[in-house]
Amino acid sequence: VSDASGCSMITLLHTGAAKFPQNLLSRSRQAVSPLFPAGVLKEFSSIVSRKLASHGFGASMAAMSSFPPQRYHYFLVLDFEATCDKPQIHPQEIIEFPILKLNGRTMEIESTFHMYVQPVVHPQLTPFCTELTGIIQGMVDGQPSLQQVLERVDEWMAKEGLLDPSVKSIFVTCGDWDLKVMLPGQCQYLGLPVADYFKQWINLKKAYSFAMGSWPKNGLLDMNKGLNLQHIGRPHSGIDDCKNIANIMKTLAHRGFIFKQTSKPF
């Protein structure tokens, strides 16, 4: 198939598709659709996909074409586990600190930060806490303090390019407790500063209610049920909860939902 200048469109694609800008792919399909038969368009897509795949862009291109772009380059999925008992002990202390770095274009997990934290006010975990979270005493004994873990979080953020002002990222939690109550409360108790990147986030429960029109009273369990998703791992395991949050976000994104900050500025 040739254009008015006699240049073969297919030949052009065979020789130059690898340099074809990904963000123009969908526009090009729309532009040429009135001009060429369906078979030619199918070959157009196939050739471009193969060329991009050969340069490492295949998977991301397929993912990007399936849902609209998000407002953030990365979503940082976070879910703390903390010391607890019945009645509740005070102060509560973070004992599991997991973060998943989710690519905003593909909604795939790119990197993981995961550490256990040594509690200092109540160093001995209660049987209730272990039963709820699955975290046993040996998993926190000898682990870094919260101050040390926060320093390592900052190092990880820098290594992942998340401190670059041109990179837009935001934390995502299942509820407001993690970043509105737990982290600032413990940091205040210990006299530690709270980094600015922890001061804005997306509450997945609110995002889900905007997308689905119902409030998930039972958190992740209700959201998985509402989206017909299988629950991943153990409830109240911080890292497993993060994986469930990421899976729910990916599913909502594929349905066309655009995530926005839900927390109010500090």
Side-chain angles (χ1 to χ4, degrees):
V1 178
S2 300
D3 63 9
S5 65
C7 177
S8 166
M9 292 289 289
I10 301 303
T11 301
L12 177 63
L13 287 169
H14 272 297
T15 57
K19 299 178 182 179
F20 193 80
Q22 295 181 56
N23 62 346
L24 296 181
L25 180 58
S26 60
R27 296 182 194 175
S28 65
R29 286 172 174 162
Q30 294 172 3
V32 301
S33 59
L35 305 177
F36 301 106
V40 173
L41 289 178
K42 185 176 181 180
E43 186 173 358
F44 172 96
S45 299
S46 176
I47 292 169
V48 172
S49 296
R50 289 199 303 271
K51 289 292 183 180
L52 288 171
S54 69
H55 288 260
F57 297 117
S60 61
M61 187 195 76
M64 284 188 294
S65 66
S66 61
F67 55 85
Q70 296 291 330
R71 296 185 172 194
Y72 297 91
H73 298 113
Y74 298 100
F75 296 105
L76 305 176
V77 179
L78 176 149
D79 190 272
F80 295 139
E81 298 304 324
T83 54
C84 53
D85 202 1
K86 283 190 174 183
Q88 188 59 272
I89 57 176
H90 297 284
Q92 282 189 276
E93 299 172 85
I94 295 169
I95 55 175
E96 185 180 6
F97 203 128
I99 307 172
L100 299 181
K101 179 188 176 188
L102 203 65
N103 187 301
R105 293 179 298 112
T106 65
M107 301 305 286
E108 298 292 341
I109 298 168
E110 283 194 354
S111 181
T112 301
F113 178 92
H114 186 212
M115 293 189 70
Y116 291 99
V117 190
Q118 170 76 59
V120 294
V121 182
H122 300 287
Q124 193 70 29
L125 301 183
T126 65
F128 175 85
C129 183
T130 294
E131 182 179 352
L132 180 69
T133 66
I135 299 173
I136 62 174
Q137 192 65 41
M139 295 166 71
V140 297
D141 283 346
Q143 295 301 311
S145 66
L146 180 64
Q147 180 177 358
Q148 293 170 319
V149 171
L150 289 172
E151 291 170 355
R152 296 189 190 182
V153 168
D154 202 67
E155 293 170 359
W156 177 79
M157 296 276 287
K159 179 176 69 73
E160 295 293 329
L162 297 167
L163 302 184
D164 185 333
S166 66
V167 175
K168 292 187 66 177
S169 65
I170 189 168
F171 279 90
V172 183
T173 58
C174 184
D176 291 322
W177 175 83
D178 299 82
L179 293 178
K180 187 176 183 178
V181 177
M182 187 61 240
L183 182 63
Q186 189 177 358
C187 284
Q188 182 179 27
Y189 183 89
L190 296 173
L192 302 174
V194 178
D196 286 343
Y197 45 71
F198 286 126
K199 296 180 180 179
Q200 49 275 320
W201 64 89
I202 295 169
N203 178 343
L204 183 64
K205 293 180 181 179
K206 291 182 180 178
Y208 177 91
S209 69
F210 296 152
M212 302 295 289
S214 63
W215 183 261
K217 294 180 181 179
N218 294 314
L220 293 174
L221 296 177
D222 279 358
M223 288 186 273
N224 277 327
K225 184 178 180 180
L227 295 170
N228 295 314
L229 298 175
Q230 187 72 31
H231 191 87
I232 299 170
R234 173 197 175 103
H236 300 295
S237 158
I239 190 65
D240 288 347
D241 283 353
C242 284
K243 292 174 183 177
N244 281 285
I245 292 171
N247 199 29
I248 290 165
M249 291 184 69
K250 182 177 179 179
T251 302
L252 291 176
H254 275 276
R255 293 187 177 202
F257 185 74
I258 306 297
F259 290 92
K260 303 174 185 178
Q261 178 179 332
T262 63
S263 65
K264 295 180 180 179
F266 273 54

